[in-house]
Amino acid sequence: AQSVTQLGSHVSVSEGALVLLRCNYSSSVPPYLFWYVQYPNQGLQLLLKYTSAATLVKGINGFEAEFKKSETSFHLTKPSAHMSDAAEYFCAVSDNNAGNMLTFGGGTRLMVKP
Amino acid sequence: GAGVSQSPSNKVTEKGKDVELRCDPISGHTALYWYRQSLGQGLEFLIYFQGNSAPDKSGLPSDRFSAERTGGSVSTLTIQRTQQEDSAVYLCASSLDFSGTGEQYFGPGTRLTVT
């Protein structure tokens, strides 16, 4: 069984500050990992994904994430927060052997202060 | 091109009534997924369809929930005898294929409120 833990249901940063959203996973097989963003009253949009290629993955809007197998982590970062980054972020894992359904973490709501 | 669309966007129903939620996936996408997003349970997988294969129903929370996909395209999620705990946002997603690396494209969701 797979699981995803996102530490911190709410994270607040100042505009221009570093964004760090934490994600740890458990999986019995090499995982595929994803970060999705959800803006208010909208569906989920893919930010980036790790699928066993480069461990440092770059996504849209200046976000990136690093896969660390030894730490079973896939933390999301952005060097400088923008007001438009305020949203809810979900980390997810899929196991191709289990049919590609996504198992999501609980989500982290990012607030950006001016 | 058009993304995943869902209808209705909002649905309010009385406890005990049946509801149908519709999903139109992206044209050409062979895989279709239903998820539920609720305050208490977060985002949960419900069911997926891959081409003409039998669907994986392992995530359906009870036998009041069912889904079908006609002609490998449009899907309908049906909830019978709705309960208040069914109140949630129901999200549909589609992907080009069934590989684990494939991106799932999500629709805007249907917000279901059971009174």
Side-chain angles (χ1 to χ4, degrees):
Chain A
Q2 307 168 100
S3 66
V4 178
T5 302
Q6 291 182 241
L7 291 177
S9 59
H10 292 79
V11 170
S12 181
V13 300
S14 298
E15 191 173 19
L18 171 72
V19 176
L20 171 61
L21 305 182
R22 299 178 185 276
C23 172
N24 288 86
Y25 70 91
S26 70
S27 177
S28 58
V29 297
Y32 301 130
L33 294 159
F34 305 81
W35 275 99
Y36 281 86
V37 61
Q38 186 176 36
Y39 297 101
N41 299 314
Q42 294 187 27
L44 296 165
Q45 179 184 3
L46 182 70
L47 276 177
L48 50 80
K49 63 181 181 182
Y50 167 77
T51 57
S52 75
T55 56
L56 182 62
V57 182
K58 294 187 184 297
I60 62 172
N61 301 339
F63 284 93
E64 62 182 38
E66 186 172 9
F67 172 68
K68 292 187 176 180
K69 184 178 179 180
S70 61
E71 299 178 5
T72 61
S73 70
F74 191 57
H75 302 330
L76 182 71
T77 60
K78 182 174 180 178
S80 177
H82 192 273
M83 296 296 291
S84 61
D85 295 326
E88 188 150 21
Y89 293 79
F90 293 92
C91 183
V93 62
S94 79
D95 172 2
N96 195 33
N97 293 330
N100 195 31
M101 74 279 284
L102 294 171
T103 299
F104 287 91
T108 297
R109 183 166 299 278
L110 176 66
M111 294 165 284
V112 183
K113 299 176 292 187
Chain B
V4 177
S5 62
Q6 294 186 245
S7 60
S9 55
N10 282 282
K11 176 72 176 179
V12 180
T13 189
E14 293 180 351
K15 177 182 174 181
K17 300 286 189 183
D18 297 352
V19 296
E20 286 189 352
L21 313 179
R22 177 186 170 104
C23 172
D24 282 88
I26 293 172
S27 178
H29 281 195
T30 61
L32 186 148
Y33 307 81
W34 283 97
Y35 296 88
R36 177 169 71 174
Q37 185 173 24
S38 58
L39 282 177
Q41 302 297 324
L43 271 158
E44 308 171 274
F45 162 77
L46 296 178
I47 186 171
Y48 77 76
F49 298 85
Q50 168 57 18
N52 296 320
S53 302
D56 180 338
K57 306 177 182 180
S58 60
L60 294 178
S62 79
D63 58 9
R64 296 185 294 105
F65 288 71
S66 63
E68 64 177 20
R69 188 179 184 191
T70 54
S73 180
V74 172
S75 177
T76 302
L77 177 69
T78 301
I79 309 174
Q80 296 178 308
R81 305 180 303 281
T82 52
Q83 304 294 312
Q84 288 186 331
E85 62 263 28
D86 300 333
S87 295
V89 176
Y90 290 82
L91 295 169
C92 176
S94 69
S95 65
L96 188 59
D97 58 32
F98 200 54
S99 74
T101 62
E103 175 179 354
Q104 294 185 23
Y105 294 82
F106 283 80
T110 294
R111 182 175 297 277
L112 175 66
T113 304
V114 182
T115 60

